[in-house]
Amino acid sequence: MTSFKKTRELLTGSYLADIISDEEFVLLYDCSFSKNLELPYDEYERFDLEEMADSECRAEFRVNKRDLPHLAECLQIPDAFVCNQGSVCDGMEAICMLLRRLSYPCRYSDMIPRFGRPAPVLSMVTNKVIDFIYDNHGWRIKQWNHDLLSPARLQTYADAVYAKGAALENCFGFVDGTVRPIARPDENQRVVYNGHKRVHALKFQSVALPNGIIANMYGPVEGRKHDASMLGDSGLLQQLQQYAHSPAGHPMCIYGDPAYPLRVQLQAPFRNVVLTPQMQAFNSSMSSVRSCVEWLFGDIVNYFKFIDFKKNLKIGLSSIGKLYIVCAVLQNALTCLYGNLTSEFFHLQPPTLQDYFA
């Protein structure tokens, strides 16, 4: 119990016993509140998932109450997280803290009524969970995921894209870069300034699959870097040449915008000044299916709105790149649980949560 709370209880008792007057009580009681805007955490009950309604879980954590234990199990969340100063937090409570933090821009003090813990502990636990997910599951999208991108599955993806009217029969996914605005840094502003979007930002390169899963992500890189340059740094072309083949051994490809070079495993629209009707038909058919990659970028921001609040994304104070990778992994988890517009558009079910995190 805080000293301020003890003081208020003593004042209340003294007033009821007629030891102090009305004026003295009002004056002293008003002075017994901390000048810190943080809520007194010990006035709230500790977090109890069983006491929450299903609607509260979906609104605050983006996950249904019945699915939270399954998500924690697939993420291999430990039984408890121990902070450097000795605070211990249950694993389920810790993953809920992270989901609450990411679901909407908020301060840690805003989370005190839900978890009944001081803001410093909420911060330490949340960062512990971010590090855990990044270290143990970040590779699923930072590297070539052989389970998700096996030859048989690449053929399934390509068949789904072709069935939606794409001109290419061997296109299994779509590549694009996304610009994530950040707070203006104090130094080296030009390095992260994106002239096209006119914002200070970090960039990421993603490969989207027709089942609604983000298969590969590279970044962060400085905001001014061109998509083609980011492609070269990522090593994605080399991975495509080595692994992107159908079960029969034929090369499979991904499709990008005109900023990308033309390769066997990387296709792009025709860029001639004068396009023939056939070229226009090709571009139109591929453009109609390529829009799904933008949907996935939108899903990450819509479900985890914290990363869309650029004033709180400061280089040197926040692990912005790591945070975005973790959000992408969690978004894939939500897609496995509930699907999304992309999977519905292509009529292709995403993998189960257990299969994706196997």
Side-chain angles (χ1 to χ4, degrees):
M1 187 177 294
T2 64
S3 58
F4 285 108
K5 186 177 180 181
K6 288 181 178 179
T7 302
R8 292 194 297 272
E9 290 183 350
L10 289 173
L11 287 172
T12 302
S14 299
Y15 175 71
L16 294 175
D18 293 328
I19 298 176
I20 57 178
S21 65
D22 294 349
E23 292 80 5
E24 291 173 329
F25 173 75
V26 172
L27 177 62
L28 294 174
Y29 194 85
D30 184 62
C31 294
S32 65
F33 283 92
S34 172
K35 301 304 180 183
N36 191 341
L37 293 179
E38 179 182 318
L39 297 174
Y41 68 91
D42 53 1
E43 293 185 0
Y44 297 93
E45 298 291 335
R46 283 293 181 88
F47 175 76
D48 186 357
L49 181 61
E50 297 302 322
E51 295 296 325
M52 293 187 66
D54 292 339
S55 58
E56 290 180 309
C57 287
R58 190 63 186 264
E60 295 189 24
F61 307 142
R62 306 303 191 195
V63 183
N64 290 334
K65 182 177 178 179
R66 66 176 183 275
D67 296 324
L68 278 168
H70 188 36
L71 175 62
E73 179 183 0
C74 290
L75 287 172
Q76 300 175 356
I77 299 296
D79 293 336
F81 287 92
V82 181
C83 300
N84 295 334
Q85 50 40 294
S87 295
V88 180
C89 182
D90 176 74
M92 177 58 69
E93 181 182 3
I95 186 64
C96 288
M97 283 184 188
L98 175 62
L99 293 172
R100 175 67 183 88
R101 173 69 166 169
L102 297 178
S103 65
Y104 201 79
C106 67
R107 298 166 296 183
Y108 284 113
S109 58
D110 298 330
M111 299 166 55
I112 291 176
R114 172 57 68 192
F115 296 98
R117 290 179 180 270
V121 173
L122 293 172
S123 175
M124 287 184 286
V125 172
T126 299
N127 287 325
K128 283 276 187 181
V129 184
I130 290 174
D131 291 340
F132 179 86
I133 295 177
Y134 182 85
D135 294 339
N136 290 275
H137 302 287
W139 64 269
R140 299 182 188 278
I141 57 176
K142 292 175 60 183
Q143 303 174 12
W144 186 270
N145 191 327
H146 290 278
D147 292 331
L148 192 65
L149 300 172
S150 65
R153 292 191 173 183
L154 294 184
Q155 187 64 59
T156 300
Y157 304 148
D159 292 342
V161 173
Y162 184 67
K164 292 299 293 186
L168 293 172
E169 298 183 11
N170 65 335
C171 175
F172 69 87
F174 306 92
V175 62
D176 199 5
T178 181
V179 176
R180 293 309 321 147
I182 61 173
R184 185 177 66 180
D186 295 330
E187 300 178 357
N188 301 322
Q189 294 183 26
R190 291 188 177 182
V191 175
V192 296
Y193 185 75
N194 184 278
H196 177 62
K197 300 290 186 180
R198 297 185 179 181
V199 292
H200 296 87
L202 298 179
K203 292 188 70 174
F204 296 84
Q205 172 187 278
S206 299
V207 175
L209 299 177
N211 63 354
I213 294 293
I214 299 172
N216 186 271
M217 181 172 285
Y218 173 75
V221 299
E222 56 272 24
R224 70 176 183 178
K225 181 159 287 191
H226 192 270
D227 285 355
S229 177
M230 186 164 52
L231 175 70
D233 295 342
S234 69
L236 179 61
L237 279 178
Q238 291 79 4
Q239 294 176 334
L240 290 169
Q241 293 170 0
Q242 185 175 1
Y243 303 118
H245 298 90
S246 69
H250 302 302
M252 308 293 283
C253 73
I254 56 178
Y255 186 82
D257 60 31
Y260 292 102
L262 191 63
R263 299 290 187 272
V264 174
Q265 279 88 8
L266 176 58
Q267 296 295 305
F270 286 100
R271 290 165 274 203
N272 304 48
V273 177
V274 179
L275 298 179
T276 66
Q278 292 82 2
M279 293 177 178
Q280 293 177 355
F282 174 90
N283 287 355
S284 178
S285 69
M286 296 306 300
S287 176
S288 64
V289 293
R290 182 185 170 275
S291 59
C292 72
V293 69
E294 301 292 345
W295 299 347
L296 291 185
F297 291 153
D299 286 342
I300 296 177
V301 174
N302 288 334
Y303 280 95
F304 303 107
K305 294 183 181 296
F306 181 83
I307 59 171
D308 200 33
F309 185 57
K310 69 177 185 178
K311 291 184 178 180
N312 208 34
L313 301 178
K314 302 177 181 179
I315 293 179
L317 296 179
S318 303
S319 302
I320 307 171
K322 181 184 293 186
L323 190 62
Y324 192 76
I325 295 290
V326 168
C327 287
V329 172
L330 292 174
Q331 179 56 44
N332 279 349
L334 294 184
T335 300
C336 293
L337 287 170
Y338 312 117
N340 57 23
L341 286 176
T342 302
S343 62
E344 293 176 4
F345 177 77
F346 288 103
H347 305 293
L348 193 60
Q349 290 295 319
T352 65
L353 195 64
Q354 187 173 4
D355 288 341
Y356 179 72
F357 287 102

